[in-house]
Every structure is written in C-alpha cells, then in structure tokens.
Amino acid sequence: MGVDPARTERGGYGEALFEPWQPGEGERIDLGALAYDGTTRRRLLAAGAGPGVRCLEIGAGTGTVARWLAEEAGAAEVLAVDRDVRFLEPHAGGALRTLAADITAPDFDPGRFDLVHARFVLMHVPDHRRLAARLCGFLAPGGRLVLGDAVDLTSAGPPDTPYRLAMRAMWRALRETIGTDVTWTPQYPRLLAELGLTDVGAEITVPPLTRGSPIAEFWLDTWRRSRPAVLATGLVTPDQLIRAERALAEGTAADLSPGLITAWGRRG
Ligand SMILES: C[S@@+](CC[C@H](N)C(=O)[O-])C[C@H]1O[C@@H](n2cnc3c(N)ncnc32)[C@H](O)[C@@H]1O
C-alpha cells in the first residue's frame, strides 16, 4: 500500500497543473469544499454518519469532510486516506487517523468500514469502475458507500460564450494532464446498482455562480492556476479567458456551474 514518492512530489493528482507545494492550493481546495460540504454532510448523515460509526474517507484532500465526521458527527473512527497528506496531517488525532497511500495500488486494503466516502476522486482516476468496485469491498455488511464527483450540465453545448469556452478548455486541460473524465458521472446510480449495492440513489447540487461566492472563486482560482494548460488546448483565447474571468468575478456569467453529483448505496 506504498506511495510512490516521485508521484507524490510531481506526478499525482493535479501536481503538474496545480502545484500543491506553491502557496494557495489548500485554500483553492477549501473553496470547493465550502461550496459543497453542506450537501455532502447532509448526505453522509442520511447514510448513517454518527456516533459509533467507522468511516473511510478516500482522497481526503484538506480533510474538511474527515474532520467533520470525526469532530462533529461523532464517528468512532475516521481513516482519511490520500496520496498527498500534507494538508491532512496537522489535523490527525482523536478519532481521525491519516494514511498516505495510493488508493489504486493493488495491495491497498485499509480494512472494513460502515461508511466509505470519496468526493471528486473517481473522476480523476483512470478506471473509475474498478475503483468503485474496490471501494464496495471495503464495506462491512450493511455498510454504505457515498460517492461524489463533478457533473457538467452545460459547457459542452452552445452558446459559445467566453464562460463556456473557458470551462470546455479547462475540462480538456484536466483530461490531457490528469486524465480527468466527467462524461460518465451521470451514470453513477446505474454503476452502483451494477456493483450489487441496494437502496441506490443520487442527487445533483449546482451552486449558483453569484459574485464572490465560494464556487465562483473556486473556478477563478482553478483557471488561474491551470492557465497555461487551459490556453494550450487552443479552445479559448487569452482575450476570451479574460472575459470569462470578468463574467465570473462580476457574477454576470448567466450560466450554470458544473455541479456535484452524489450517489449512494448499501451493501447487503
Ligand atoms: C479534487 S481533490 C478532492 C479532495 C476532497 N475529497 C474534497 O472533496 O475536497 C482529489 C484528492 O484525491 C487525491 N487522490 C487522487 N488520486 C489518488 C490516488 N490514486 N490515491 C490517493 N489519493 C488520490 C488527491 O491527492 C486529492 O487530494
């Protein structure tokens, strides 16, 4: 269950794009968390998060969900796993343990849990179906799996506004550098049913792109940090990107943000 140090330094999730060793990356991830933590918490509570529950948080990032499970929901145990634990380690203690591991490694086996959660992780791995199946294997009998990923409802189609061109270029850049794929995420309920889970459900949250909102700031920051790769796609010009940024900053994009699809199911 080892971590390849070279990948952790440079080649893992987003390192080439987002350079987590540079200031501000933790804050960028936290903006995304701020936009979506309310939905995720509600869904985890509905899935049984609470006193006595053993939880596995996969790709925990800065740990906003893991910390909430341990400190506020009162879980008995929270294991927060990430290939890169630089943002997690300072929060370890009490019910919260951290583990540096590559979740796609064949020997990754953290044990069995009542609740397994991963958000914005499967969309970044090469074989999401296989990883979802492995996560099911980490469930104790009766345990719940809750998975969340981005869903893009608008940017692939017309009209070609600067905002949509910038979003399209960003998804292409993420695809070409990290391998990110969000085209399959609307299939989540079917995927979980095919994996043998019961009581399957799903919901989509699309936070409004209002001026100064965490989600607008998150996309602005994401475009800023990935600017060279976004422009290198050729799908947006520097001038269009500036106009897209202005629209987001001023709250005039008049469009939908990519949303969070959360899907869940229970092991029989
Ligand atoms: C977009 S961030 C999401 C963070 C957090 N789940 C959230 O929603 O705020 C993706 C996280 O998954 C981790 N990750 C991606 N691939 C991984 C892998 N193969 N093994 C372990 N962690 C991985 C990254 O290091 C990163 O912290």
Side-chain angles (χ1 to χ4, degrees), residues 20 29 43 49 54 74 96 100 117-118 126 134 139 163 179 184 190 195 208 225 255:
I29 295 178
R43 191 41 57 195
R54 293 161 300 156
L96 179 61
H117 173 247
R134 291 192 76 200
L139 291 171
Y163 168 80
W184 59 269
R190 176 160 300 277
L195 292 175
R225 287 183 87 95
D255 213 331

Side-chain angles (χ1 to χ4, degrees), residues 58-241:
I58 290 283
T62 58
T64 61
V65 173
R67 276 182 274 151
W68 173 80
L69 283 167
E71 294 164 15
E72 293 183 50
E77 173 194 348
V78 181
L79 179 61
V81 183
D82 205 291
R83 187 157 50 194
D84 181 350
V85 292
R86 83 186 71 211
F87 301 119
L88 285 174
E89 266 171 348
H91 304 288
L96 179 61
R97 281 189 300 132
T98 64
L99 174 65
D102 181 344
I103 53 174
T104 61
D107 59 347
F108 174 66
D109 186 0
R112 301 294 172 268
F113 297 83
D114 306 307
L115 182 57
V116 175
H117 173 247
R119 188 179 67 187
F120 302 130
V121 179
L122 273 72
M123 62 193 247
H124 296 302
V125 304
D127 189 346
H128 65 271
R129 180 174 283 272
R130 187 196 308 206
L131 182 55
R134 291 192 76 200
L135 297 185
C136 288
F138 302 148
L139 291 171
R144 312 280 180 142
L145 180 65
V146 179
L147 298 177
D149 270 305
V151 60
D152 179 16
L153 301 169
T154 55
S155 81
D160 289 347
T161 59
Y163 168 80
R164 287 193 182 198
L165 294 174
M167 273 297 174
R168 241 176 259 165
M170 179 199 74
W171 290 124
R172 175 78 65 85
L174 287 169
R175 182 80 187 241
E176 287 174 355
T177 51
I178 304 176
T180 304
D181 182 6
V182 297
T183 58
W184 59 269
T185 60
Q187 312 300 326
Y188 247 131
R190 176 160 300 277
L191 170 65
L192 297 193
E194 285 171 0
L195 292 175
L197 298 184
T198 59
D199 304 334
V200 167
E203 67 180 341
I204 289 177
T205 304
V206 180
L209 288 172
T210 45
R211 181 190 180 119
S213 60
I215 194 65
E217 294 298 318
F218 173 77
W219 293 124
L220 278 170
D221 214 9
T222 300
W223 292 351
R224 227 173 270 135
R225 287 183 87 95
S226 57
R227 189 180 190 86
V230 166
L231 290 174
T233 64
L235 294 178
V236 66
T237 66
D239 178 58
Q240 287 164 333
L241 187 53

